[in-house]
Structures are given as C-alpha cells and as structure tokens.
Amino acid sequence: MNKLLLTCFIFISLFACKSPEARKPETVKTGSFIKESAIRNKKLLKAEEKAIENYIKAHDSMQFKASEYGFWVSKDSVVNTTNSMTPKFGDIVNFDFNLSALNGQTIYTASELKNRNYAMDKEELFTGLREGLKLMKAGETFTFIFPSQKAYGYYGDENKIGRNTPLISKVTINSITTKK
C-alpha cells in the first residue's frame, strides 16, 4: 500500500510541475472589414455623384455651381440691397427651407419645417445647411444640392429621410440679426 501511495505521489508530482501552454487563437482578425467598407463607400460616392450630375444636367437652367464646402448651389433670387452682410458666428438667421429627393419627390415642405430662427454655429443643424447659410444674405433664395455626407449621412433623420440620401433644399433667408 505504501509503495502504491509513493508511486502515485511521484507520478502526480511529475505531471503537476508541467508549465502551462499558450492557447492559439481560434480565428485571426484581419483588416478586411475596413477594406470592404472603403470599397462600399467609394461605390456609394460614385453613384451619388452620378445622380447629382444627372440632376444638374436635367436642370441646366438653374446654373448650379460647386461650392468649396462640398455641395452645389444655385442662386434663385438675389435681392439688390446695400446690405451685403452674410451671417457670422452667433448671428440670428430667420429662414425658410424645404427638402426634396433628387427624383423631385418632396420629403418635407417649408410649412412642415416651419420658419426657423437659427443662432449661427451655436445650434444643431445638418452640416450642408449650416454651411450654406453662411453664403447667403438677407432676402436671397438659393437652391442647394447636398450629397448625403453633407445632409443626414448614414442614418438619415430616422423618419422620412433614408440613409445615404442626397437632398435638394430651397432656402430663403428672411432676416439676419447681428449679435450685440
């Protein structure tokens, strides 16, 4: 019995001293998701640019011009006033606007969106419209074409505007009140 106990003790002590072995990972992650996402976004951008280009060709009388902000703008009406002031940071801009899809379908009418007072760069407003207001003067009406990344982007507005939707917006600035 002592021999058996001694043998078991020696056997256990030999195998108990074994160092732990590192486990190999089950899967190896690569950067394939990022690469696939970049390819998908490039295809989306090309499709949007093509659709916007087709819209501009179909509406050549509006004379759209590319802005430095990454969207297209057409001056519908320009008021001849001595006031050549564009809104600056903190100014209150009173404006009306609507939103449409490139196919001409109205998404939000001006009456649905209502007349708005906006404190320049102090409140939330989608990027394209915020930058577009900076180009305008009181009394002017512009039509903008915003690519999706300048509008509501990947998520849309979670209501009527779908994801990755380029938008057309007709904007009229009623007044600009400078900050004191």
Side-chain angles (χ1 to χ4, degrees), residues 52 55-56 59-78 102 128-137 140-147 150 167-173:
I52 290 171
Y55 181 86
I56 291 171
H59 297 85
D60 62 343
S61 63
M62 294 183 77
Q63 299 177 356
F64 282 99
K65 293 181 181 172
S67 76
E68 62 186 43
Y69 296 107
F71 52 81
W72 290 263
V73 61
S74 170
K75 296 180 181 183
D76 297 348
S77 69
V78 178
L102 285 179
L129 186 55
R130 183 175 62 238
E131 293 168 347
L133 289 172
K134 293 176 185 177
L135 302 174
M136 300 176 69
K137 299 175 185 117
E140 292 183 327
T141 300
F142 285 13
T143 299
F144 296 99
I145 301 175
F146 300 116
K150 290 291 182 178
L167 297 175
I168 300 169
S169 181
K170 189 170 197 163
V171 182
T172 302
I173 289 188

Short mmCIF file of all heavy atoms in Angstrom, two decimals, residues 52 55-56 59-78 102 128-137 140-147 150 167-173:
data_model
loop_
_atom_site.label_atom_id
_atom_site.label_comp_id
_atom_site.label_asym_id
_atom_site.label_seq_id
_atom_site.Cartn_x
_atom_site.Cartn_y
_atom_site.Cartn_z
N ILE A 52 -26.28 63.17 -58.94
CA ILE A 52 -26.28 64.63 -58.82
C ILE A 52 -25.92 65.25 -60.17
O ILE A 52 -26.53 66.24 -60.60
CB ILE A 52 -25.31 65.08 -57.70
CG1 ILE A 52 -25.89 64.69 -56.34
CG2 ILE A 52 -25.05 66.57 -57.77
CD1 ILE A 52 -24.94 64.87 -55.18
N TYR A 55 -28.91 65.17 -62.36
CA TYR A 55 -29.89 66.17 -61.94
C TYR A 55 -29.48 67.56 -62.46
O TYR A 55 -30.31 68.30 -62.98
CB TYR A 55 -30.03 66.20 -60.42
CG TYR A 55 -31.05 67.20 -59.95
CD1 TYR A 55 -32.39 66.86 -59.88
CD2 TYR A 55 -30.69 68.50 -59.60
CE1 TYR A 55 -33.34 67.78 -59.47
CE2 TYR A 55 -31.62 69.42 -59.19
CZ TYR A 55 -32.95 69.06 -59.13
OH TYR A 55 -33.89 69.98 -58.73
N ILE A 56 -28.20 67.89 -62.31
CA ILE A 56 -27.71 69.20 -62.75
C ILE A 56 -27.86 69.35 -64.26
O ILE A 56 -28.25 70.41 -64.76
CB ILE A 56 -26.25 69.41 -62.29
CG1 ILE A 56 -26.21 69.57 -60.76
CG2 ILE A 56 -25.62 70.61 -62.97
CD1 ILE A 56 -24.83 69.58 -60.17
N HIS A 59 -31.42 70.03 -65.14
CA HIS A 59 -31.88 71.35 -64.69
C HIS A 59 -30.80 72.40 -64.97
O HIS A 59 -30.45 73.21 -64.11
CB HIS A 59 -32.20 71.31 -63.20
CG HIS A 59 -33.31 70.38 -62.86
ND1 HIS A 59 -33.12 69.04 -62.65
CD2 HIS A 59 -34.65 70.60 -62.73
CE1 HIS A 59 -34.27 68.46 -62.38
NE2 HIS A 59 -35.22 69.39 -62.42
N ASP A 60 -30.29 72.40 -66.19
CA ASP A 60 -29.17 73.30 -66.54
C ASP A 60 -29.56 74.77 -66.49
O ASP A 60 -28.69 75.63 -66.38
CB ASP A 60 -28.57 72.93 -67.89
CG ASP A 60 -29.56 73.05 -69.04
OD1 ASP A 60 -30.77 73.11 -68.78
OD2 ASP A 60 -29.10 73.10 -70.21
N SER A 61 -30.83 75.10 -66.54
CA SER A 61 -31.25 76.50 -66.46
C SER A 61 -30.99 77.08 -65.06
O SER A 61 -30.94 78.30 -64.91
CB SER A 61 -32.73 76.63 -66.80
OG SER A 61 -33.51 75.93 -65.85
N MET A 62 -30.83 76.24 -64.07
CA MET A 62 -30.61 76.72 -62.70
C MET A 62 -29.16 77.11 -62.45
O MET A 62 -28.85 77.75 -61.46
CB MET A 62 -31.05 75.66 -61.68
CG MET A 62 -32.56 75.43 -61.72
SD MET A 62 -33.09 74.26 -60.49
CE MET A 62 -33.03 75.25 -59.02
N GLN A 63 -28.25 76.73 -63.32
CA GLN A 63 -26.84 77.11 -63.24
C GLN A 63 -26.21 76.80 -61.87
O GLN A 63 -25.78 77.69 -61.14
CB GLN A 63 -26.65 78.58 -63.58
CG GLN A 63 -27.10 78.93 -64.97
CD GLN A 63 -26.98 80.41 -65.27
OE1 GLN A 63 -26.62 81.21 -64.42
NE2 GLN A 63 -27.29 80.77 -66.50
N PHE A 64 -26.18 75.53 -61.53
CA PHE A 64 -25.56 75.10 -60.29
C PHE A 64 -24.05 75.25 -60.37
O PHE A 64 -23.45 74.99 -61.42
CB PHE A 64 -25.90 73.63 -59.99
CG PHE A 64 -27.27 73.45 -59.43
CD1 PHE A 64 -28.31 73.05 -60.26
CD2 PHE A 64 -27.52 73.66 -58.09
CE1 PHE A 64 -29.58 72.88 -59.75
CE2 PHE A 64 -28.79 73.49 -57.57
CZ PHE A 64 -29.83 73.10 -58.40
N LYS A 65 -23.45 75.66 -59.27
CA LYS A 65 -22.00 75.77 -59.16
C LYS A 65 -21.56 75.00 -57.92
O LYS A 65 -22.23 75.03 -56.89
CB LYS A 65 -21.57 77.22 -59.05
CG LYS A 65 -21.84 78.00 -60.32
CD LYS A 65 -21.38 79.43 -60.19
CE LYS A 65 -21.72 80.16 -61.49
NZ LYS A 65 -21.49 81.58 -61.39
N ALA A 66 -20.41 74.35 -58.03
CA ALA A 66 -19.86 73.63 -56.88
C ALA A 66 -19.33 74.65 -55.88
O ALA A 66 -18.68 75.62 -56.25
CB ALA A 66 -18.75 72.69 -57.32
N SER A 67 -19.61 74.43 -54.61
CA SER A 67 -19.09 75.31 -53.56
C SER A 67 -17.84 74.69 -52.96
O SER A 67 -17.59 73.50 -53.12
CB SER A 67 -20.14 75.54 -52.47
OG SER A 67 -20.22 74.40 -51.65
N GLU A 68 -17.12 75.48 -52.23
CA GLU A 68 -15.91 74.98 -51.57
C GLU A 68 -16.26 74.07 -50.39
O GLU A 68 -15.40 73.40 -49.85
CB GLU A 68 -15.06 76.15 -51.08
CG GLU A 68 -15.75 77.02 -50.04
CD GLU A 68 -14.97 78.26 -49.67
OE1 GLU A 68 -14.43 78.91 -50.58
OE2 GLU A 68 -14.91 78.57 -48.48
N TYR A 69 -17.52 74.05 -50.00
CA TYR A 69 -17.96 73.23 -48.87
C TYR A 69 -18.36 71.80 -49.26
O TYR A 69 -18.71 71.01 -48.40
CB TYR A 69 -19.14 73.90 -48.16
CG TYR A 69 -18.79 75.23 -47.53
CD1 TYR A 69 -19.24 76.42 -48.10
CD2 TYR A 69 -18.01 75.30 -46.38
CE1 TYR A 69 -18.93 77.63 -47.52
CE2 TYR A 69 -17.70 76.51 -45.80
CZ TYR A 69 -18.16 77.68 -46.37
OH TYR A 69 -17.84 78.89 -45.80
N GLY A 70 -18.38 71.50 -50.55
CA GLY A 70 -18.69 70.13 -50.96
C GLY A 70 -20.13 69.91 -51.38
O GLY A 70 -20.60 68.78 -51.42
N PHE A 71 -20.86 70.96 -51.69
CA PHE A 71 -22.22 70.83 -52.22
C PHE A 71 -22.37 71.78 -53.39
O PHE A 71 -21.46 72.54 -53.71
CB PHE A 71 -23.28 71.09 -51.14
CG PHE A 71 -23.11 72.39 -50.38
CD1 PHE A 71 -23.56 73.58 -50.92
CD2 PHE A 71 -22.52 72.40 -49.13
CE1 PHE A 71 -23.40 74.77 -50.23
CE2 PHE A 71 -22.36 73.59 -48.43
CZ PHE A 71 -22.80 74.77 -48.98
N TRP A 72 -23.52 71.75 -54.06
CA TRP A 72 -23.77 72.58 -55.24
C TRP A 72 -24.81 73.63 -54.87
O TRP A 72 -25.73 73.37 -54.10
CB TRP A 72 -24.24 71.73 -56.40
CG TRP A 72 -23.17 70.87 -56.95
CD1 TRP A 72 -22.37 71.11 -58.02
CD2 TRP A 72 -22.73 69.61 -56.43
NE1 TRP A 72 -21.47 70.10 -58.20
CE2 TRP A 72 -21.67 69.15 -57.23
CE3 TRP A 72 -23.12 68.82 -55.35
CZ2 TRP A 72 -21.01 67.96 -57.01
CZ3 TRP A 72 -22.46 67.63 -55.11
CH2 TRP A 72 -21.41 67.21 -55.94
N VAL A 73 -24.69 74.81 -55.47
CA VAL A 73 -25.58 75.91 -55.13
C VAL A 73 -26.02 76.64 -56.40
O VAL A 73 -25.25 76.79 -57.34
CB VAL A 73 -24.90 76.88 -54.13
CG1 VAL A 73 -23.65 77.49 -54.72
CG2 VAL A 73 -25.84 77.96 -53.66
N SER A 74 -27.28 77.08 -56.40
CA SER A 74 -27.83 77.89 -57.48
C SER A 74 -28.54 79.08 -56.83
O SER A 74 -29.35 78.90 -55.92
CB SER A 74 -28.83 77.06 -58.28
OG SER A 74 -29.54 77.88 -59.19
N LYS A 75 -28.25 80.28 -57.32
CA LYS A 75 -28.89 81.48 -56.80
C LYS A 75 -30.20 81.66 -57.54
O LYS A 75 -30.22 82.00 -58.71
CB LYS A 75 -27.99 82.69 -56.98
CG LYS A 75 -26.71 82.62 -56.18
CD LYS A 75 -25.86 83.85 -56.40
CE LYS A 75 -24.58 83.73 -55.60
NZ LYS A 75 -23.74 84.93 -55.70
N ASP A 76 -31.31 81.46 -56.83
CA ASP A 76 -32.63 81.61 -57.45
C ASP A 76 -33.03 83.06 -57.54
O ASP A 76 -33.50 83.52 -58.56
CB ASP A 76 -33.69 80.84 -56.65
CG ASP A 76 -33.41 79.34 -56.65
OD1 ASP A 76 -32.56 78.87 -57.43
OD2 ASP A 76 -34.04 78.63 -55.85
N SER A 77 -32.87 83.78 -56.44
CA SER A 77 -33.18 85.21 -56.45
C SER A 77 -32.18 85.93 -55.56
O SER A 77 -31.84 85.47 -54.48
CB SER A 77 -34.60 85.47 -55.94
OG SER A 77 -34.70 85.19 -54.57
N VAL A 78 -31.71 87.04 -56.08
CA VAL A 78 -30.75 87.85 -55.34
C VAL A 78 -31.37 89.22 -55.17
O VAL A 78 -31.79 89.85 -56.14
CB VAL A 78 -29.41 87.94 -56.11
CG1 VAL A 78 -28.44 88.82 -55.36
CG2 VAL A 78 -28.83 86.56 -56.32
N LEU A 102 -33.56 63.75 -55.00
CA LEU A 102 -33.10 64.06 -56.36
C LEU A 102 -34.13 63.73 -57.43
O LEU A 102 -34.11 64.30 -58.50
CB LEU A 102 -31.80 63.30 -56.66
CG LEU A 102 -30.54 63.84 -55.99
CD1 LEU A 102 -29.35 62.99 -56.35
CD2 LEU A 102 -30.29 65.28 -56.35
N GLY A 128 -24.53 70.61 -44.24
CA GLY A 128 -24.67 71.33 -45.50
C GLY A 128 -25.48 72.60 -45.36
O GLY A 128 -25.10 73.66 -45.89
N LEU A 129 -26.59 72.54 -44.66
CA LEU A 129 -27.44 73.72 -44.50
C LEU A 129 -26.73 74.78 -43.65
O LEU A 129 -26.79 75.97 -43.96
CB LEU A 129 -28.78 73.35 -43.88
CG LEU A 129 -29.81 74.45 -43.77
CD1 LEU A 129 -30.07 75.10 -45.13
CD2 LEU A 129 -31.11 73.92 -43.19
N ARG A 130 -26.05 74.35 -42.61
CA ARG A 130 -25.31 75.29 -41.76
C ARG A 130 -24.26 76.05 -42.58
O ARG A 130 -24.13 77.27 -42.48
CB ARG A 130 -24.65 74.52 -40.61
CG ARG A 130 -23.92 75.41 -39.64
CD ARG A 130 -23.38 74.65 -38.44
NE ARG A 130 -22.42 73.65 -38.83
CZ ARG A 130 -22.53 72.35 -38.57
NH1 ARG A 130 -23.60 71.88 -37.96
NH2 ARG A 130 -21.61 71.51 -38.95
N GLU A 131 -23.54 75.33 -43.45
CA GLU A 131 -22.52 75.97 -44.29
C GLU A 131 -23.16 76.79 -45.41
O GLU A 131 -22.64 77.82 -45.80
CB GLU A 131 -21.58 74.91 -44.85
CG GLU A 131 -20.74 74.26 -43.77
CD GLU A 131 -20.00 73.02 -44.22
OE1 GLU A 131 -20.32 72.48 -45.31
OE2 GLU A 131 -19.12 72.57 -43.48
N GLY A 132 -24.30 76.33 -45.94
CA GLY A 132 -24.98 77.05 -46.99
C GLY A 132 -25.51 78.40 -46.54
O GLY A 132 -25.47 79.38 -47.29
N LEU A 133 -25.99 78.48 -45.30
CA LEU A 133 -26.49 79.75 -44.77
C LEU A 133 -25.40 80.81 -44.72
O LEU A 133 -25.67 82.00 -44.87
CB LEU A 133 -27.10 79.55 -43.38
CG LEU A 133 -28.43 78.79 -43.33
CD1 LEU A 133 -28.80 78.49 -41.89
CD2 LEU A 133 -29.53 79.55 -44.03
N LYS A 134 -24.16 80.38 -44.55
CA LYS A 134 -23.04 81.31 -44.47
C LYS A 134 -22.77 82.01 -45.80
O LYS A 134 -22.12 83.04 -45.84
CB LYS A 134 -21.77 80.58 -44.03
CG LYS A 134 -21.85 80.08 -42.61
CD LYS A 134 -20.61 79.28 -42.26
CE LYS A 134 -20.74 78.67 -40.88
NZ LYS A 134 -19.57 77.84 -40.54
N LEU A 135 -23.29 81.46 -46.90
CA LEU A 135 -23.08 82.04 -48.23
C LEU A 135 -24.14 83.06 -48.61
O LEU A 135 -24.01 83.75 -49.62
CB LEU A 135 -23.08 80.93 -49.29
CG LEU A 135 -22.05 79.80 -49.12
CD1 LEU A 135 -22.30 78.72 -50.15
CD2 LEU A 135 -20.65 80.36 -49.22
N MET A 136 -25.21 83.14 -47.83
CA MET A 136 -26.38 83.92 -48.21
C MET A 136 -26.48 85.24 -47.47
O MET A 136 -25.89 85.43 -46.41
CB MET A 136 -27.64 83.08 -47.96
CG MET A 136 -27.68 81.78 -48.73
SD MET A 136 -29.11 80.76 -48.32
CE MET A 136 -30.42 81.74 -49.03
N LYS A 137 -27.28 86.13 -48.06
CA LYS A 137 -27.59 87.43 -47.45
C LYS A 137 -29.10 87.47 -47.23
O LYS A 137 -29.85 86.69 -47.81
CB LYS A 137 -27.17 88.56 -48.38
CG LYS A 137 -25.69 88.58 -48.66
CD LYS A 137 -25.35 89.64 -49.69
CE LYS A 137 -23.89 89.55 -50.03
NZ LYS A 137 -23.64 89.22 -51.40
N GLU A 140 -32.28 86.65 -49.90
CA GLU A 140 -31.87 85.79 -51.01
C GLU A 140 -32.51 84.40 -50.90
O GLU A 140 -32.78 83.92 -49.81
CB GLU A 140 -30.35 85.62 -51.05
CG GLU A 140 -29.62 86.89 -51.43
CD GLU A 140 -28.13 86.69 -51.53
OE1 GLU A 140 -27.56 85.88 -50.77
OE2 GLU A 140 -27.51 87.36 -52.38
N THR A 141 -32.71 83.79 -52.06
CA THR A 141 -33.20 82.42 -52.13
C THR A 141 -32.22 81.61 -52.96
O THR A 141 -31.92 81.98 -54.10
CB THR A 141 -34.60 82.36 -52.78
OG1 THR A 141 -35.51 83.13 -51.99
CG2 THR A 141 -35.10 80.92 -52.86
N PHE A 142 -31.71 80.55 -52.39
CA PHE A 142 -30.76 79.66 -53.06
C PHE A 142 -31.35 78.25 -53.08
O PHE A 142 -32.11 77.87 -52.20
CB PHE A 142 -29.43 79.58 -52.31
CG PHE A 142 -28.53 80.78 -52.45
CD1 PHE A 142 -28.95 81.98 -52.97
CD2 PHE A 142 -27.22 80.69 -52.03
CE1 PHE A 142 -28.10 83.07 -53.08
CE2 PHE A 142 -26.36 81.77 -52.12
CZ PHE A 142 -26.80 82.97 -52.65
N THR A 143 -30.96 77.48 -54.09
CA THR A 143 -31.25 76.06 -54.12
C THR A 143 -29.93 75.32 -53.96
O THR A 143 -28.97 75.61 -54.68
CB THR A 143 -31.93 75.64 -55.43
OG1 THR A 143 -33.16 76.36 -55.54
CG2 THR A 143 -32.22 74.15 -55.46
N PHE A 144 -29.90 74.40 -53.01
CA PHE A 144 -28.69 73.64 -52.73
C PHE A 144 -28.91 72.17 -53.07
O PHE A 144 -30.02 71.65 -52.90
CB PHE A 144 -28.34 73.71 -51.23
CG PHE A 144 -28.00 75.08 -50.75
CD1 PHE A 144 -28.94 75.86 -50.09
CD2 PHE A 144 -26.73 75.60 -50.93
CE1 PHE A 144 -28.62 77.12 -49.62
CE2 PHE A 144 -26.40 76.86 -50.47
CZ PHE A 144 -27.35 77.63 -49.82
N ILE A 145 -27.87 71.51 -53.53
CA ILE A 145 -27.86 70.06 -53.66
C ILE A 145 -26.81 69.56 -52.69
O ILE A 145 -25.62 69.86 -52.82
CB ILE A 145 -27.50 69.60 -55.08
CG1 ILE A 145 -28.49 70.16 -56.10
CG2 ILE A 145 -27.48 68.06 -55.15
CD1 ILE A 145 -28.13 69.84 -57.53
N PHE A 146 -27.27 68.81 -51.68
CA PHE A 146 -26.37 68.30 -50.66
C PHE A 146 -26.13 66.80 -50.87
O PHE A 146 -27.10 66.03 -50.88
CB PHE A 146 -26.96 68.50 -49.26
CG PHE A 146 -27.22 69.93 -48.90
CD1 PHE A 146 -28.52 70.37 -48.68
CD2 PHE A 146 -26.18 70.82 -48.77
CE1 PHE A 146 -28.77 71.68 -48.33
CE2 PHE A 146 -26.43 72.15 -48.42
CZ PHE A 146 -27.72 72.58 -48.19
N PRO A 147 -24.88 66.38 -51.04
CA PRO A 147 -24.63 64.93 -51.04
C PRO A 147 -24.94 64.38 -49.64
O PRO A 147 -25.00 65.14 -48.68
CB PRO A 147 -23.14 64.82 -51.38
CG PRO A 147 -22.56 66.15 -51.13
CD PRO A 147 -23.68 67.16 -51.20
N LYS A 150 -23.16 65.50 -46.49
CA LYS A 150 -23.41 66.87 -46.05
C LYS A 150 -24.84 67.05 -45.56
O LYS A 150 -25.20 68.10 -45.04
CB LYS A 150 -23.14 67.87 -47.19
CG LYS A 150 -21.69 68.02 -47.53
CD LYS A 150 -20.96 68.70 -46.41
CE LYS A 150 -19.52 68.92 -46.74
NZ LYS A 150 -18.83 69.64 -45.68
N LEU A 167 -29.84 65.34 -50.90
CA LEU A 167 -31.03 66.18 -50.78
C LEU A 167 -30.91 67.46 -51.60
O LEU A 167 -29.82 67.96 -51.84
CB LEU A 167 -31.24 66.57 -49.31
CG LEU A 167 -31.50 65.46 -48.32
CD1 LEU A 167 -31.56 66.02 -46.91
CD2 LEU A 167 -32.79 64.73 -48.66
N ILE A 168 -32.08 67.97 -51.99
CA ILE A 168 -32.19 69.28 -52.63
C ILE A 168 -32.97 70.14 -51.65
O ILE A 168 -33.99 69.71 -51.10
CB ILE A 168 -32.94 69.20 -53.97
CG1 ILE A 168 -32.20 68.27 -54.91
CG2 ILE A 168 -33.13 70.58 -54.57
CD1 ILE A 168 -32.98 67.92 -56.14
N SER A 169 -32.49 71.36 -51.42
CA SER A 169 -33.16 72.25 -50.48
C SER A 169 -33.23 73.65 -51.07
O SER A 169 -32.23 74.18 -51.55
CB SER A 169 -32.41 72.28 -49.16
OG SER A 169 -33.06 73.12 -48.24
N LYS A 170 -34.42 74.22 -51.04
CA LYS A 170 -34.61 75.62 -51.45
C LYS A 170 -34.70 76.43 -50.16
O LYS A 170 -35.57 76.19 -49.32
CB LYS A 170 -35.88 75.76 -52.27
CG LYS A 170 -36.05 77.11 -52.89
CD LYS A 170 -37.19 77.10 -53.89
CE LYS A 170 -37.07 78.31 -54.78
NZ LYS A 170 -37.87 78.15 -55.97
N VAL A 171 -33.76 77.36 -49.99
CA VAL A 171 -33.62 78.11 -48.74
C VAL A 171 -33.79 79.60 -49.00
O VAL A 171 -33.21 80.13 -49.94
CB VAL A 171 -32.22 77.86 -48.11
CG1 VAL A 171 -32.09 78.60 -46.79
CG2 VAL A 171 -31.96 76.38 -47.91
N THR A 172 -34.58 80.26 -48.16
CA THR A 172 -34.75 81.71 -48.23
C THR A 172 -34.42 82.29 -46.87
O THR A 172 -34.99 81.89 -45.86
CB THR A 172 -36.21 82.09 -48.59
OG1 THR A 172 -36.55 81.49 -49.84
CG2 THR A 172 -36.39 83.60 -48.67
N ILE A 173 -33.48 83.24 -46.87
CA ILE A 173 -33.17 83.95 -45.61
C ILE A 173 -34.07 85.19 -45.56
O ILE A 173 -34.03 86.03 -46.45
CB ILE A 173 -31.69 84.36 -45.53
CG1 ILE A 173 -30.82 83.12 -45.34
CG2 ILE A 173 -31.47 85.33 -44.38
CD1 ILE A 173 -29.37 83.39 -45.04
#
